[in-house]
Amino acid sequence: MVALYRTGFYSSNHVRLSNVVRYWRFLMTTPKSPSPAAADAVPTDPATTTGSRSYPSLRAAWIPLAALCLAFFVEMVDNTLLTIALPTIGRDLQGSTTSLQWITGAYSLTFGGLLLTAGSIADRFGRRRVLQVGLTAFGLMSLLVLAVTTTGELIALRAGLGIAAAATAPITNSLVFRLFDDQALRMRAMTVMIVVGMSGFILGPLLGGTALTHVSWQWLLLINAPIALIAFLGVRLGVDPDRPEDLTRDVLDIPGAALTILGIGLACYTLTSGVEHGWLSVPTLLSASGAIAAGIGFVVRERRAAFPMLDLHLLHDRTIRGAALAQLGTSMAMIGVLFSLVLHFQYAYGWSPIRAGLANLPFILTMLAATPLTELLVARYGRRVACLIGAVSLTVSLAWLSWAVDHGYLMIAVGMVIMTVGLRTVMTICAVGLIDAMPSNRTSLGAALNDTAQEVGTSIGTALVGTLIAALVVTVLPLGAWSPALVSSYFHGERVAYLALMVLVGVVAVLGALTMDDSRTAEEHHDLDAV
């Protein structure tokens, strides 16, 4: 979930790339022994270590760690890989603005809606087994793009890929913990995972734009098949199977999962229906009512279920609640801006896909440069203030972008830099803080909750911006170059969309930041009784 600034780690900037290589080598070295305080603060979880192979260093675990990182990378890349190809897909398949938004949103919808369910299934039937099934399904379904002839078929395929990806995302983080007994190694391995995931999310548009200059857009999905195969083999060779005694026998919360997907889906469709049928039309009102009913039903179900998909008592912890809320806000801003700028660069500016992809370099470079800043802010001010600074930067960037849309690329790039500082800060602090605040035997649930918040935000952000542009500009994207009048209209629609995001994201992200704790470390876990 984590996130869009991920394309930077594989940019053509050789200086940046060499820094990444040196950073990787540093992480792969054998760590010092953890301090007694750190060992006491993060108790070993027997469920993740008993009976499993324990590696003495990240270097020794390079096969399974690389496989898990590759699996996580392809999940995150697929969130944004097709965004750069949306104009091309729209022309090829004769798609409307709303159908293009669902090509992106369908993946996020099923991915986010099923993350918690997939985590529960993995805890019951085996984490390695479910991960391998997910990778196999992901690779095979990617081949089906060759049979796609309509946007409806592509949306269905993307939804299926989201389901397969949901079977891998939280499990990759859980299995990383299982590779090591040493807590310092676990923290370093999680750092590698977060860096790879964040790189993958933003690498999608750049990779997609580069590929589109040489091959058709279908290849953007076909490439998933060999990547999934490599990840499958690495997991098979390097990760031990789960032991039966380490798995739970809790009954799966199928109604809870169904209510989650129904609520998110209907909420997103309400926005689309408002444009197509009118805001007071029967379909719009019915879908809105259904979304509210599903949300209420989910809360009631989780409170009464003997084995809930999400134990709502966990949300009583302010850090868990604040981190999830802030992640929701940042993801809305991230995907909303990315979605609109793809159309901005390719349609309004008439740029080629690769040039539009390279236009994201401010995101990439700032994501890399902001790492020391994030660490400095947390060390000096604590999580709450550091996260608040990031949330304010995010809000300011949206206000800036609303002004910059018709002031040229340089001004837009300035907005990208401000936004990335906010995104990098909030998303890193919240990801570490949320998992850190979870009971030591529920860290995989924390990872799933973090990803779920991000994917829900992605669905809402895509639906909001896509719907506003469709309502204010044009429902069906015209073929060929845009007229000056249409470009001006699009800029106006972008401006309104960014202002709407500014208000929504500002409230959600700032409120989440204010709810965070004041910890200045990443080495405290709460006991189960504390939650």
Side-chain angles (χ1 to χ4, degrees):
M1 210 291 159
V2 156
L4 129 156
Y5 332 105
R6 306 141 194 233
T7 135
F9 270 74
Y10 301 91
S11 70
S12 59
N13 187 307
H14 297 297
V15 175
R16 294 291 184 186
L17 184 57
S18 64
N19 289 339
V20 175
V21 172
R22 286 196 293 272
Y23 182 57
W24 175 266
R25 289 175 178 169
F26 165 75
L27 289 170
M28 297 296 280
T29 58
T30 303
K32 299 178 181 179
S33 300
S35 66
D40 292 338
V42 191
T44 300
D45 181 4
T48 62
T49 59
T50 303
S52 299
R53 192 183 331 179
S54 178
Y55 292 93
S57 68
L58 268 65
R59 186 187 299 276
W62 76 270
I63 292 179
L65 184 58
L68 293 172
C69 286
L70 188 60
F72 194 43
F73 178 80
V74 75
E75 297 153 18
M76 294 298 102
V77 157
D78 228 53
N79 268 279
T80 57
L81 187 64
L82 286 187
T83 54
I84 200 73
L86 288 179
T88 303
I89 294 172
R91 295 185 182 104
D92 190 18
L93 301 181
Q94 312 266 314
S96 65
T97 303
T98 51
S99 67
L100 293 184
Q101 107 188 26
W102 275 104
I103 291 173
T104 301
Y107 181 91
S108 299
L109 173 65
T110 53
F111 184 31
L114 288 171
L115 279 168
L116 296 176
T117 303
S120 299
I121 294 173
D123 288 338
R124 181 178 175 84
F125 296 105
R127 299 168 187 88
R128 193 184 79 151
R129 178 182 294 119
V130 173
L131 177 57
Q132 291 181 111
V133 170
L135 288 171
T136 301
F138 196 86
L140 292 177
M141 279 195 292
S142 296
L143 299 176
L144 295 178
V145 71
L146 294 174
V148 168
T149 58
T150 66
T151 53
E153 293 173 354
L154 183 56
I155 291 170
L157 176 58
R158 293 284 290 167
L161 288 171
I163 295 173
T168 61
I171 304 170
T172 52
N173 293 331
S174 177
L175 287 179
V176 161
F177 272 75
R178 238 178 66 179
L179 296 177
F180 310 100
D181 288 336
D182 184 87
Q183 291 301 323
L185 281 174
R186 287 182 172 185
M187 290 302 135
R188 287 191 175 187
M190 285 301 299
T191 299
V192 173
M193 289 288 293
I194 291 174
V195 167
V196 169
M198 293 186 71
S199 300
F201 200 86
I202 203 145
L203 187 58
L206 185 57
L207 282 177
T210 303
L212 285 176
T213 62
H214 305 289
V215 297
S216 65
W217 63 265
Q218 286 88 344
W219 281 96
L220 300 182
L221 294 182
L222 287 174
I223 194 62
N224 289 335
I227 294 177
L229 176 60
I230 295 172
F232 177 94
L233 293 175
V235 171
R236 184 80 178 180
L237 294 173
V239 179
D240 291 337
D242 296 88
R243 302 193 315 166
E245 55 267 35
D246 294 333
L247 303 177
T248 181
R249 295 300 175 190
D250 291 353
V251 178
L252 297 177
D253 185 16
I254 302 300
L259 287 169
T260 301
I261 298 173
L262 184 64
I264 297 172
L266 287 175
C268 293
Y269 179 73
T270 298
L271 297 175
T272 301
S273 178
V275 174
E276 294 182 348
H277 306 110
W279 296 103
L280 297 179
S281 66
V282 173
T284 303
L285 294 177
L286 285 177
S287 60
S289 301
I292 296 172
I296 295 174
F298 175 77
V299 173
V300 172
R301 165 67 189 179
E302 299 309 284
R303 287 184 177 276
R304 296 180 177 179
F307 304 103
M309 182 177 70
L310 174 62
D311 185 354
L312 297 180
H313 289 92
L314 291 171
L315 298 179
H316 291 170
D317 185 290
R318 58 181 299 153
T319 299
I320 295 175
R321 186 171 65 252
L325 196 60
Q327 291 285 40
L328 179 71
T330 54
S331 295
M332 284 191 286
M334 178 179 62
I335 197 64
V337 169
L338 184 62
F339 179 84
S340 64
L341 287 183
V342 165
L343 301 179
H344 184 112
F345 294 147
Q346 290 197 59
Y347 277 133
Y349 287 177
W351 290 355
S352 66
I354 187 171
R355 186 178 180 185
L358 290 173
N360 287 319
L361 280 177
F363 283 130
I364 299 169
L365 300 180
T366 308
M367 186 270 289
L368 293 170
T371 299
L373 175 62
T374 300
E375 296 174 355
L376 177 64
L377 289 174
V378 174
R380 177 168 296 184
Y381 302 112
R383 284 180 185 153
R384 181 185 298 124
V385 174
C387 193
L388 182 61
I389 292 173
V392 171
S393 297
L394 195 60
T395 307
V396 170
S397 72
L398 289 168
W400 177 275
L401 285 170
S402 71
W403 168 82
V405 290
D406 55 356
H407 285 78
Y409 173 74
L410 182 59
M411 294 297 100
I412 293 176
V414 172
M416 289 180 180
V417 170
I418 300 172
M419 167 168 277
T420 308
V421 170
L423 288 170
R424 180 72 172 86
T425 302
V426 174
M427 298 184 85
T428 302
I429 292 173
C430 290
V432 174
L434 193 154
I435 297 176
D436 182 49
M438 297 292 289
S440 58
N441 62 343
R442 296 187 183 182
T443 52
S444 59
L445 177 61
L449 182 59
N450 180 77
D451 291 347
T452 299
Q454 290 182 335
E455 290 306 319
V456 170
T458 296
S459 296
I460 295 174
T462 303
L464 176 63
V465 173
T467 301
L468 284 174
I469 290 176
L472 298 171
V473 186
V474 61
T475 300
V476 179
L477 297 174
L479 299 176
W482 281 9
S483 67
L486 184 56
V487 170
S488 177
S489 177
Y490 182 77
F491 288 165
H492 171 69
E494 258 190 314
R495 183 177 296 107
V496 173
Y498 289 153
L499 289 175
L501 275 177
M502 179 192 70
V503 175
L504 181 59
V505 171
V507 171
V508 173
V510 169
L511 181 60
L514 291 173
T515 312
M516 296 287 291
D517 60 42
D518 283 322
S519 172
R520 300 188 183 190
T521 70
E523 297 182 344
E524 356 175 303
H525 277 249
H526 295 202
D527 294 329
L528 182 57
D529 294 339
V531 180

